[in-house]
Amino acid sequence: PFYSVFQEYLSQLYRISLSTAPLPLERYVASFVSEVPLPPQGQIAVHYPLPDRTLRIRRPPKNKLPMADFSYRPLFACLSLHHVIDVFGCLLLEARVAIFSRYVSILTPVAEALLSLLFPFDWQGAFIPVIPEAMVDMLEAPVPFLLGCHRRYIDETPRSRWP
């Protein structure tokens, strides 16, 4: 639910790195990770000041439509409606779902969009939008998962070991 907040935060962090900041970058990251509380669900928002602007972090109230602060365009640009429905069915059945792409940057938006389609249900399985190469053995786990992986895994792995 905080996809756009993190994107904005990283953009601001990049701008800070290019300028002469009063604090080291590590301090901004440590402050954001350890000192910014997760806002409770509802109308309360947490404001996090940065040199150029203030980030507003909030969560939707319980039993309300989730806050989809990202575009569904990557999902429907990568998959046809038929395939989206098939993957949605697999997620509802708590199957093992692996998403592969040559472009790692597309994996997180697609995985987040798929999970948001599950509302009012919550995904209880493992969720790793971009799995590191050292963890590709996770694809053989006997538990429900939604994982994103670079396409070269399929190119380098025998078909008998595919999930």
Side-chain angles (χ1 to χ4, degrees), residues 5 7 11 18 30 34 47 49 64 68 74 82-83 101 118 122 125 140:
V5 171
Q7 186 177 24
S11 297
L18 297 177
S34 63
H47 296 273
K64 296 287 181 179
H82 176 72
H83 286 114
S101 175
L118 290 176
D122 289 324
E140 299 176 24

Side-chain angles (χ1 to χ4, degrees), residues 4-155:
S4 63
V5 171
F6 290 138
Q7 186 177 24
E8 179 65 26
Y9 176 73
L10 290 175
S11 297
Q12 290 298 316
L13 208 60
Y14 176 70
R15 287 184 189 125
I16 292 169
S17 72
L18 297 177
S19 66
T20 55
L23 298 171
L25 280 179
E26 294 83 4
R27 182 64 195 135
Y28 287 103
V29 174
S31 170
F32 188 74
V33 172
S34 63
E35 297 173 11
V36 177
L38 181 66
Q41 290 182 321
Q43 298 300 322
I44 299 173
V46 173
H47 296 273
Y48 181 72
L50 287 168
D52 289 353
R53 63 181 53 156
T54 300
L55 294 179
R56 184 172 181 252
I57 306 167
R58 64 182 192 88
R59 292 172 44 195
K62 289 182 182 181
N63 298 325
K64 296 287 181 179
L65 286 174
M67 186 173 49
D69 62 347
F70 53 87
S71 174
Y72 285 89
R73 183 178 300 248
L75 174 64
F76 290 103
C78 295
L79 298 174
S80 68
L81 181 59
H82 176 72
H83 286 114
V84 170
I85 292 171
D86 286 345
V87 173
F88 176 69
C90 290
L91 291 173
L92 286 175
L93 295 171
E94 294 186 339
R96 300 180 316 150
V97 177
I99 304 168
F100 295 93
S101 175
R102 285 186 179 91
Y103 308 102
V104 176
S105 63
I106 203 75
L107 293 171
T108 299
V110 168
E112 288 285 347
L114 285 168
L115 284 187
S116 73
L117 292 176
L118 290 176
F119 183 80
F121 303 112
D122 289 324
W123 178 250
Q124 298 298 316
F127 175 59
I128 307 173
V130 180
I131 193 165
E133 192 171 331
M135 291 180 62
V136 291
D137 290 339
M138 180 75 177
L139 292 167
E140 299 176 24
V143 298
F145 59 70
L146 174 57
L147 305 176
C149 191
H150 194 276
R151 168 76 186 182
R152 79 171 161 263
Y153 172 79
I154 287 181
D155 298 336

